[in-house]
Amino acid sequence: MFKTETYKTRREKLAKDLGGGLVLLMGNEESSMNCKDNVYPFRQDSSFLYFFGIDRPDLGAIIDIDEQKTIVFGNDLSVEYIVWMGPQPAIADQAKAAGVDNTAPYAELHEYLSAAVKKKREIHYLPPYRPENVIKLHKWLGIALDDITDKASETLIKAIITQRSVKNEEEIREMEIAVNVSGAMHVAAMKAGRAGIKEAQLTGIVEGIASGCEMRTAYPVILSVNGQTLHNHYHGNTLQPGQLVLGDFGAESLMHYAGDLTRTFPVDKKFTSIQKDIYNLVLDAEVKCIESLKPGVKYMDTHLEASKIMANGLKDLGLMKGDIDEAVASGAHALFFPHGLGHMIGLDVHDMEDLGENLVGYAEGQERSTLFGLKSLRLARTLEPGFVLTVEPGIYFIPELIDMWQADKKHEAFINYDKLKDFRSFGGIRIEDNVLITDDGHRILGDPVPKTVDEVEALRG
Ligand code: GLY
Ligand code: MN
Ligand code: MN
């Protein structure tokens, strides 16, 4: 856990921002995989971690702003449970470490809320993403199941987003640990990759590094010779000469902060000439966009700049044509770059996505595009000191998308479809780093992970 003062300060700020009412923060339960006691690895809710830091299932907490009282609700374990799972710290001791003096059995949470409902008090809660929490809110607050998400408190959501968007020193240190382990995972994959090895074996190597550091991965590992499939979780292919391997994976630190790095390397010791050309376009966009980051920059503009750098390069290679500013404005480049340049990162890999993508990544009044490609941009707002975000441009050749666009004669003025015949098995290239916005610029988190062609080839050699 962080310092006691950290959690107290966060809760005090939240109470001040809301001004009144009662805040309910729900922890997570264990989640069953296929039978009740065979569970997925436990993951505490990130906002619960942020305000209380207690990393165990079956907790809830109330910050009663009107009564100036904070209570953590949960049950200490019975000996029968300890027989199976071992002794656990007392909830009262864990709450104290988070600066909370009041604890109560879990059943009293329902009673506390029922009394508040009866008095028609204002109860702020977050939109639940786990079905068991939806059901509890329905039972406790008397709100119809279908209305639970809509009736979540926008005031609470916005106050939490404001706080969690700006990372403090303790969080940045923790993120740097996650990014460094993520970097070690990538270096290991780049060293071990060779023709004849299976994607699954490389996946085992990188997951093993996270496990060996007592960590888990922050999201399912993407490691594939089919990098053109953006979130490809299939690991059954065997690496073949001439292919590229795209690895997008990262560790989640012990305190649950995420690292999210992507590197792409050739199965052979060296990139082919065309692989190198495309790789350098992506690298150029990544490096230039990172260089431009500082407070006041609108990340929408950075995304469009990355799009233009890569589209201009694709024009030089004869794959695109026409006026590139017009091509990017019309979304033609999204055939090759169909996702956003990046997202906030923190306790969640896509930080606070459960609170609402647009509230996290878009300013009030900033409309989200409906254009293919641009609509997938998760972060578009103006950057502030303390934000941590990813920069992750990519170029992909997706045969199904190329075929569909070509059949529809889509963006024919900007795309040389006949040239794309040679790229059907190219795959995809993405390069991703995690960047902190500082008072006057930016800093890439973690130790550098090889990413120039020379650096990558040196590791492959
Ligand atoms: N790892 C998923 C992403 O980069 O957004
Ligand atoms: Mn990623
Ligand atoms: Mn990412």
Side-chain angles (χ1 to χ4, degrees):
M1 282 173 71
F2 293 136
K3 291 194 299 277
T4 304
E5 211 46 42
T6 299
Y7 300 104
K8 279 171 98 167
T9 310
R10 288 172 176 175
R11 292 193 302 269
E12 280 162 16
K13 175 159 174 30
L14 186 68
K16 197 158 159 252
D17 287 350
L18 291 180
L22 179 162
V23 175
L24 165 64
L25 288 169
M26 318 235 342
N28 282 336
E29 294 180 16
E30 295 278 16
S31 195
S32 299
M33 232 180 331
N34 52 343
C35 47
K36 188 175 170 301
D37 287 339
N38 197 28
V39 291
Y40 289 107
F42 173 69
R43 178 54 157 83
Q44 182 59 290
D45 174 74
S46 296
S47 289
F48 194 90
L49 282 172
Y50 187 81
F51 290 103
F52 294 95
I54 313 175
D55 190 8
R56 63 190 281 173
D58 304 322
L59 299 178
I62 281 180
I63 304 169
D64 192 330
I65 301 171
D66 304 326
E67 301 286 332
Q68 298 187 354
K69 193 156 78 178
T70 300
I71 310 166
V72 170
F73 295 86
N75 300 333
D76 282 316
L77 300 183
S78 67
V79 172
E80 269 199 47
Y81 191 91
I82 289 169
V83 167
W84 291 94
M85 304 306 288
Q88 311 285 329
I91 291 172
D93 291 341
Q94 291 185 300
K96 229 180 204 74
V100 179
D101 293 327
N102 303 305
T103 55
Y106 195 72
E108 289 186 19
L109 177 53
H110 186 175
E111 290 166 24
Y112 201 104
L113 291 168
S114 295
V117 170
K118 245 188 224 135
K119 286 190 203 151
K120 299 196 180 339
R121 294 187 58 198
E122 190 174 21
I123 300 172
H124 299 278
Y125 66 87
L126 296 175
Y129 51 89
R130 293 219 180 172
E132 56 271 21
N133 281 347
V134 176
I135 293 167
K136 280 183 199 171
L137 287 169
H138 161 69
K139 281 210 241 165
W140 294 345
L141 306 180
I143 298 172
L145 282 173
D146 288 344
D147 295 338
I148 292 288
T149 301
D150 289 346
K151 294 211 165 147
S153 163
E154 191 156 311
T155 323
L156 176 63
I157 292 170
K158 285 182 173 167
I160 290 183
I161 288 173
T162 303
Q163 271 202 62
R164 282 183 54 189
S165 293
V166 176
K167 275 66 181 176
N168 74 1
E169 287 294 321
E170 286 173 307
E171 292 180 287
I172 291 161
R173 263 201 302 279
E174 194 65 20
M175 294 195 71
E176 206 124 34
I177 292 169
V179 174
N180 277 336
V181 174
S182 308
M185 291 157 71
H186 279 273
V187 168
M190 285 193 260
K191 282 185 172 169
R194 59 175 163 77
I197 199 172
K198 266 193 134 175
E199 294 163 342
Q201 287 172 272
L202 288 182
T203 303
I205 290 170
V206 305
E207 288 179 340
I209 290 171
S211 299
C213 297
E214 291 180 82
M215 297 183 187
R216 296 200 300 252
T217 54
Y219 52 94
V221 169
I222 298 164
L223 193 159
S224 179
V225 294
N226 288 315
Q228 78 281 6
T229 302
L230 300 179
H231 282 176
N232 194 342
H233 298 139
Y234 176 73
H235 300 138
N237 296 303
T238 300
L239 275 55
Q240 311 282 347
Q243 290 179 320
L244 290 168
V245 179
L246 186 153
D248 178 347
F249 42 82
E252 178 175 297
S253 77
L254 279 168
M255 292 191 61
H256 303 290
Y257 283 82
D260 179 10
L261 301 181
T262 306
R263 291 292 183 268
T264 307
F265 63 87
V267 172
D268 300 315
K269 290 194 170 140
K270 294 198 177 295
F271 290 94
T272 64
S273 168
I274 186 66
Q275 284 172 345
K276 204 186 294 187
D277 287 344
I278 307 270
Y279 187 94
N280 279 329
L281 295 184
V282 179
L283 183 66
D284 193 34
E286 205 237 12
V287 170
K288 284 199 175 123
C289 286
I290 291 176
E291 274 170 3
S292 74
L293 296 180
K294 59 181 181 193
V297 165
K298 209 192 252 181
Y299 207 58
M300 167 67 82
D301 296 339
T302 318
H303 171 90
L304 293 173
E305 186 55 27
S307 306
K308 283 178 196 168
I309 292 169
M310 293 191 290
N312 266 309
L314 289 168
K315 182 176 171 181
D316 293 341
L317 294 173
L319 299 175
M320 290 190 74
K321 58 187 174 180
D323 182 290
I324 288 304
D325 285 354
E326 275 177 36
V328 168
S330 71
H333 67 292
L335 178 65
F336 308 100
F337 177 38
H339 61 76
L341 184 64
H343 49 84
M344 295 272 219
I345 179 167
L347 276 163
D348 310 298
V349 58
H350 293 167
D351 209 21
M352 302 173 276
E353 204 153 278
D354 59 311
L355 304 184
E357 257 188 50
N358 290 354
L359 291 172
V360 174
Y362 286 72
E364 203 121 348
Q366 188 181 15
E367 194 110 339
R368 188 159 178 163
S369 172
T370 53
L371 207 57
F372 178 76
L374 195 53
K375 72 177 178 189
S376 298
L377 178 61
R378 289 187 163 94
L379 176 62
R381 63 194 270 206
T382 301
L383 305 179
E384 296 174 24
F387 283 14
V388 182
L389 48 102
T390 68
V391 182
E392 47 180 308
I395 293 180
Y396 314 88
F397 296 88
I398 306 166
E400 298 80 359
L401 188 63
I402 294 170
D403 290 346
M404 187 177 87
W405 279 31
Q406 186 166 16
D408 293 348
K409 302 188 187 318
K410 215 168 158 179
H411 297 301
E412 270 191 327
F414 301 116
I415 294 164
N416 278 325
Y417 284 106
D418 52 330
K419 289 254 184 165
L420 289 177
K421 287 189 205 80
D422 300 336
F423 288 81
R424 295 185 73 82
S425 60
F426 184 95
I429 292 172
R430 178 164 67 250
I431 305 171
E432 176 175 25
D433 283 301
N434 304 156
V435 184
L436 165 71
I437 304 303
T438 60
D439 286 339
D440 54 1
H442 66 271
R443 181 163 72 78
I444 300 180
L445 290 186
D447 300 327
V449 181
K451 69 177 173 184
T452 65
V453 164
D454 286 348
E455 286 165 353
V456 173
E457 289 185 345
L459 266 187
R460 302 292 301 134

